[in-house]
Amino acid sequence: MRRLIKTVALSAISMLLMCGTTNAQSRNKVRKLEYNSQYNYEVATLAVGVDGTKLVKVWGYGKKAEDAVRDAKAQGVACAIFRGFPAGSNGSAAPTPPIVTDPNAATTHEDYFVKFFEPGGKYLQYVNLSTDGVSTDRVKVNKKTYKVGVELSIAYDELRKELERQGIARKLNSGF
Amino acid sequence: MKRIGILSAALVLAVSSVMGQAKKPTIMVVPSDRYCISKGYMTKFDNQDIPDYKKALQNDADLRMAISKISGIMADREFPLKDLEQELRNISNESAESAMITGASGSSVAESPVDVLKRTAKADIIMDLDFSVVKQGPRNSIMYTLNGLDAYTSKNIASSTGVGSPSSAASVELLIEEAVLSHMDEFTGRLQAHFDDMFANGREVKIMVKVFDGSEVNLSDEVDYNGETNELAIFIEDWMADNTVSGRFSLSDGTENFQRYEQVRIPMYYERNGRQRAMDTRTFVNNLKKFVAESFNLESKVYMRGLGEAWLIIGEK
């Protein structure tokens, strides 16, 4: 009898443990999907940048802090292209529309964007300034992931002109 | 892959050479009435107070700076603006020169009262600019509004407005520059959306059909067309339905003497001598004139009010 109770208790504990592991696994999976989602932009507009630039704060994710900083820079440039920046708080800046208005541009011009955003790729040309050396917004969200906030000055006008040259963004005067 | 690239480039070139260019609207920045009233830039004309733009541009450095900044940004977007100050100067020079020109026989340049009336600074899209300094103790902030108004349909096609963050250190000039920089991308984004809609659904214009008082027929008179007897107004409406993009227009008002068509979507291009050419309201109304002449043997006159508005006046040439 005692042996039976012991067996039942052991199996109940192991089942609970298994459930916990499965939940943790699915949570991690969802988190990973969220971090890598092309729609996940955590961006705030800080102020009006100097002529042709946007001053924003972007949060990136990575296994190491420097990976997260790299991700934040790519996210900042991608946000300027595909989503635009929200308005700054307390009237500090008006919202900025995305450079590309076609919602399918990322897939239509996939080859270009894959090359553009590859490590050390052309996107870095449009990040004028960043606080990656002195960033204080560094959070370790779990054992394997860092979340780092970086202040960036993005060369928005130059980026727009590059995408117009490539025929990805429409010029204001196109068709006329 | 390379072959597909070359083929698509050739296709784009072929399409663009066949399609031609659409008529480009002119845009001009104009200080708002509210701005002119608050700064006292007003003048009397026909016992009415109207904005005195010349006075505003000659006396207001902040306004000039804001207009110059906006013009610079638009020129950078390859959409140079008409300059209000230069336009006003051109108009006064044009009237002076026109008055001086004489032919060999001594005759002067013909000018009707309508020609004189038309000699005003105008653009297809008006960028109505307004800003003011808001004081909060020692701190200043700028309340800024920029409205893009279609001169013909009177619709607000693009706008951007907001109050900047207050500052006690920055000068007012710097705050105005900051306001322009902050809002221009939002404004041009909306303008771009308007142009995209125009290319997809046709240019939105206004058309008036009127009748000369000496005309033998008016719009409610019954006429025959294609074996059907109906009012002239109905046949004109049918023509509009057949010739607008997706039959989109609205007859907003009408009597036996006039019909006001608004939100008329005319095609961007038409074919002439085997080539695509840009369509404007005058060309569109000219086609209506031909229809009226051929179908009902009626003479009419086309009066152009700009890129986006034209009138057809039935009864005389």
Side-chain angles (χ1 to χ4, degrees):
Chain A
M1 187 64 190
R2 195 180 277 178
R3 185 181 278 178
L4 183 71
I5 292 168
K6 203 175 170 184
T7 318
V8 170
L10 272 172
S11 26
I13 289 165
S14 59
M15 273 183 68
L16 276 171
L17 276 173
M18 270 172 70
C19 280
T21 319
T22 320
N23 276 343
Q25 273 175 350
S26 63
R27 261 202 313 275
N28 281 339
K29 211 173 169 182
V30 168
R31 206 176 282 146
K32 203 172 173 183
L33 283 171
E34 279 175 358
Y35 297 158
N36 296 325
S37 167
Q38 57 167 323
Y39 306 109
N40 182 21
Y41 297 112
E42 291 183 46
V43 184
T45 304
L46 297 174
V48 180
V50 291
D51 227 344
T53 66
K54 300 289 166 192
L55 200 60
V56 290
K57 184 163 188 173
V58 188
W59 280 265
Y61 294 90
K63 280 182 183 168
K64 292 178 182 171
E66 55 262 46
D67 293 340
V69 169
R70 211 169 290 133
D71 181 52
K73 287 182 184 177
Q75 290 284 324
V77 175
C79 192
I81 298 172
F82 301 112
R83 202 194 73 175
F85 299 119
S89 59
N90 197 22
S92 55
T96 306
I99 294 172
V100 171
T101 46
D102 176 10
N104 302 318
T107 43
T108 316
H109 304 279
E110 198 179 348
D111 292 351
Y112 174 84
F113 284 120
V114 166
K115 201 156 184 284
F116 186 84
F117 284 111
E118 70 186 9
K122 204 173 181 180
Y123 77 93
L124 287 169
Q125 194 180 324
Y126 304 101
V127 180
N128 282 339
L129 183 78
S130 71
T131 54
D132 56 355
V134 289
S135 178
T136 48
D137 285 332
R138 180 185 293 198
V139 186
K140 196 167 185 187
V141 283
N142 61 32
K143 276 182 189 172
K144 288 179 181 171
T145 315
Y146 277 93
K147 179 179 180 180
V148 178
V150 187
E151 290 176 15
L152 304 174
S153 164
I154 291 175
Y156 184 82
D157 282 9
E158 288 305 315
L159 181 60
R160 176 177 52 74
K161 282 176 190 167
E162 159 67 9
L163 296 174
E164 283 175 356
R165 269 194 299 275
Q166 298 296 332
I168 297 167
R170 262 177 79 88
K171 282 185 181 182
L172 191 60
N173 69 343
S174 54
F176 294 116
Chain B
M1 192 67 196
K2 199 176 170 185
R3 197 175 289 171
I4 293 170
I6 293 166
L7 271 172
S8 33
L11 192 69
V12 166
L13 272 174
V15 167
S16 58
S17 65
V18 170
M19 288 300 278
Q21 304 288 100
K23 296 262 182 187
K24 190 175 184 176
T26 53
I27 307 183
M28 185 157 66
V29 188
V30 172
S32 71
D33 285 7
R34 196 214 66 83
Y35 185 85
C36 291
I37 292 166
S38 69
K39 298 271 182 174
Y41 304 133
M42 299 298 281
T43 187
K44 281 253 183 237
F45 182 78
D46 264 4
N47 266 339
Q48 275 190 322
D49 285 322
I50 58 161
D52 189 343
Y53 297 132
K54 201 172 172 184
K55 190 175 169 187
L57 292 163
Q58 283 173 349
N59 294 290
D60 197 326
D62 291 345
L63 176 67
R64 283 179 66 92
M65 191 199 68
I67 291 180
S68 165
K69 197 81 207 167
I70 293 170
S71 301
I73 292 170
M74 291 298 282
D76 192 49
R77 305 289 299 255
E78 295 178 37
F79 215 108
L81 303 182
K82 248 184 169 182
D83 186 69
L84 175 62
E85 195 175 12
Q86 192 57 36
E87 188 71 1
L88 291 170
R89 206 172 290 151
N90 271 344
I91 290 164
S92 64
N93 287 349
E94 193 188 312
S95 11
E97 281 171 37
S98 189
M100 298 294 282
I101 295 171
T102 48
S105 63
S107 59
S108 54
V109 177
E111 201 167 46
S112 70
V114 176
D115 297 341
V116 177
L117 197 69
K118 273 178 168 279
R119 215 164 43 207
T120 53
K122 60 180 194 175
D124 302 315
I125 296 170
I126 301 289
M127 285 169 83
D128 188 74
L129 172 68
D130 185 23
F131 58 87
S132 54
V133 180
V134 180
K135 286 195 176 289
Q136 292 173 315
R139 302 197 301 170
N140 290 328
S141 59
I142 298 290
M143 192 167 77
Y144 177 91
T145 304
L146 185 63
N147 283 319
L149 306 165
D150 188 304
Y152 311 108
T153 60
S154 309
K155 282 192 174 176
N156 191 329
I157 53 172
S159 68
S160 181
T161 186
V163 183
S165 54
S167 167
S168 53
S171 65
V172 170
E173 292 81 12
L174 200 68
L175 291 176
I176 294 170
E177 187 186 357
E178 193 181 275
V180 174
L181 285 176
S182 172
H183 290 275
M184 273 314 279
D185 283 317
E186 188 187 25
F187 182 85
T188 50
R190 288 183 177 155
L191 197 60
Q192 176 86 67
H194 170 71
F195 292 151
D196 288 348
D197 170 68
M198 199 160 94
F199 280 105
N201 302 312
R203 191 191 291 275
E204 189 174 321
V205 301
K206 199 165 128 185
I207 290 169
M208 291 281 283
V209 178
K210 294 177 178 243
V211 180
F212 276 112
D213 58 2
S215 171
E216 287 173 1
V217 285
N218 65 33
L219 294 167
S220 58
D221 281 342
E222 296 215 323
V223 287
D224 294 327
Y225 177 64
N226 272 354
E228 188 191 339
T229 306
N230 217 330
E231 288 182 11
L232 177 61
I234 300 292
F235 288 124
I236 291 175
E237 208 178 324
D238 289 348
W239 185 91
M240 295 288 280
D242 293 341
N243 290 277
T244 46
V245 177
S246 315
R248 289 168 75 175
F249 69 94
S250 71
L251 175 62
S252 63
D253 210 349
T255 63
E256 70 274 21
N257 292 320
F258 81 94
Q259 282 185 309
R260 182 183 293 123
Y261 291 98
E262 290 180 328
Q263 303 183 82
V264 182
R265 293 287 190 151
I266 63 168
M268 296 295 282
Y269 308 98
Y270 69 102
E271 203 174 303
R272 190 171 166 83
N273 301 331
R275 289 178 70 93
Q276 293 275 351
R277 282 170 64 168
M279 171 81 90
D280 63 0
T281 323
R282 186 183 59 90
T283 318
F284 186 79
V285 175
N286 246 328
N287 293 342
L288 177 59
K289 180 187 170 176
K290 276 181 204 157
F291 166 74
V292 169
E294 285 162 13
S295 312
F296 313 111
N297 202 22
L298 288 172
E299 283 190 332
S300 54
K301 179 191 177 85
V302 176
Y303 177 77
M304 187 184 172
R305 288 204 68 208
L307 184 59
E309 185 175 349
W311 298 353
L312 182 77
I313 313 170
I314 297 171
E316 283 175 36
K317 263 194 173 175

